[in-house]
Amino acid sequence: MSAQPLKYRRILLKLSGEALMGNEDYGIDPKVIQAMATDIVEAQRAGAEIGLVIGGGNIFRGAGLAEAGMDRVTGDHMGMLATVINALAMADALEKAGGYARVMSAIKINEVCEDYIRRRATRHMEKGRIALFAAGTGNPFFTTDSAAALRASEVGADLLLKATKVDGIYDADPKKNPGAKRFDHLSYDEVIARNLQVMDTAAFALCRDNKVPLRIYDMMQPGALMRILRGEPLGTLVDAG
């Protein structure tokens, strides 16, 4: 019996920095990052071309530092460096899981990773390497959600996936409101109009303008990534409607 074919060939996966903490208060939980890496390598071996953007919230959050009184640009630069740390950790975990990974940074840091160049990034993905896009967009005032939407658009991803600890988009916080309703499908404009803040508005607008469908799903669900790649409607799909 042959394996079920993939519905999506090239994907951009967005992971939050907080997701790497697992049950820790700070930093990276080795068990969590290894489990994620195993799922990602399985997907790559099944034929998916994978790009990855990781946030830095487990180490620093630029916006949070700015609220505490730090200069916003300085805080955002620190946040970018935090994403480089996470990308290097994930690349190590991916290679321990049997994959091949390349870290590409939007800011120059050549001693530890490559510069981000779009054509080189797509070549890595075509060759079966998992490309990790670090340092956000390289600019302050933009989140890693916006970076994920930008890189997905640049590399021509069939799908942008945001892996979270929640199984989709709700009309209210399901942790605070047990009666919150989960959406199976929304349009970009509906998400923006309803101000459903699972990603920032700039990221949704980039996806809309470049016709990149987006799926929000629960990364803690076993086998979720492969199930989505094969076409199962897990989580919430956001597209043109």
Side-chain angles (χ1 to χ4, degrees), residues 12 14 148-149 152 158-162 199 207 212-215:
L12 195 293
K14 166 62 170 50
D158 301 319
L159 181 68
L160 171 57
L161 285 163
K162 178 160 182 179
M199 291 178 84
C207 290
V212 178
L214 163 69
R215 189 172 285 280

Side-chain angles (χ1 to χ4, degrees), residues 1-7 9 42 45-47 226 229-230:
M1 183 177 145
S2 61
Q4 188 178 344
L6 301 184
K7 180 177 180 181
R9 299 296 299 187
E42 180 192 8
R45 285 179 173 164
M226 279 302 303
L229 292 182
R230 289 185 173 132

